[in-house]
Structures are given as structure tokens and as C-alpha cells.
């Protein structure tokens, strides 16, 4: 009878342990999925801001502030760095790396 009780306890403890591991893995999977969604939102935001910069550069060329969109972009970035102490460091190519 003692062996049956020990086997039953081992079975119960094993079952609870496996259930606990399953819950923990599920929670970690959800955290990873949430982080991946956040990263994708950040990528979309960066792409949108790069698109705004491109449109602004084209607009500056149309207004005659600059001769080429590239020169206008350099002017915009220089002014942004002077006024806000920030300068973009990522290119559109950097966002495609996973």
C-alpha cells in the first residue's frame, strides 16, 4: 500500500510540475509575441517618419530651397541636429533586418 501512495504522489507532483511548465511556457510565448508586435509598430513608425522626410525633401526641391532631394535631406538633418540635437542613424535598409 505504501508503494501505491508513493506512486500516486509522484504522479500528482509530476502532473502539477508539467502543468506549471506549460503555463510558464505559454506566458513566455505571449510576452515574446507582444514584444514582436511592439517592434513591428516601431518599424512602421520609423518607416512613416522616413516617408515624411522624403516628402519634405521633395517639397523643398519644389520650393527651390535645394537642387536635389538628397541635398534637401542633408539640410533638414543638419537643421534638426542643430535645433533638437537629434539625427537619424537608420536607413530604410536597416529596418528590413530581423
Amino acid at each position: 500500500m505504501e508503494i501505491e501512495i508513493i506512486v500516486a504522489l509522484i504522479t500528482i507532483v509530476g502532473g502539477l510540475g508539467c502543468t506549471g511548465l506549460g503555463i510558464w511556457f505559454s506566458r513566455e510565448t505571449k510576452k515574446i509575441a507582444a514584444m514582436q508586435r511592439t517592434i513591428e509598430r516601431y518599424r512602421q513608425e520609423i518607416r512613416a517618419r522616413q516617408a515624411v522626410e522624403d516628402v519634405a525633401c521633395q517639397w523643398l526641391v519644389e520650393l527651390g530651397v535645394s537642387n536635389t532631394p538628397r541635398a534637401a535631406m542633408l539640410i533638414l538633418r543638419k537643421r534638426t541636429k542643430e535645433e533638437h540635437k537629434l539625427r537619424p542613424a537608420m536607413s530604410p535598409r536597416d529596418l528590413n533586418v530581423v
Side-chain angles (χ1 to χ4, degrees):
M1 180 113 127
E2 290 179 12
I3 294 176
E4 294 170 349
I5 293 174
I6 292 172
V7 169
L9 287 175
I10 290 173
T11 304
I12 291 171
V13 170
L16 290 174
C18 289
T19 302
L21 281 176
I23 291 170
W24 184 74
F25 283 136
S26 174
R27 190 177 71 195
E28 291 301 311
T29 303
K30 288 178 184 177
K31 284 181 184 179
I32 291 171
M35 283 191 285
Q36 288 173 338
R37 286 190 303 270
T38 301
I39 289 169
E40 189 55 36
R41 276 197 335 259
Y42 289 157
R43 281 188 178 150
Q44 291 296 328
E45 180 65 23
I46 291 168
R47 285 186 187 111
R49 289 176 187 233
Q50 287 173 338
V52 167
E53 183 183 47
D54 291 342
V55 170
C57 292
Q58 292 169 2
W59 188 49
L60 289 172
V61 170
E62 290 173 11
L63 292 175
V65 175
S66 179
N67 295 330
T68 64
R70 174 87 174 144
M73 180 181 62
L74 294 175
I75 292 169
L76 276 175
R77 288 183 177 186
K78 181 179 178 184
R79 187 166 179 175
T80 302
K81 187 173 182 179
E82 289 171 357
E83 291 182 13
H84 297 284
K85 309 293 187 256
L86 297 171
R87 184 175 178 94
M90 293 181 76
S91 69
R93 190 174 19 155
D94 294 334
L95 295 175
N96 294 328
V97 178
V98 176

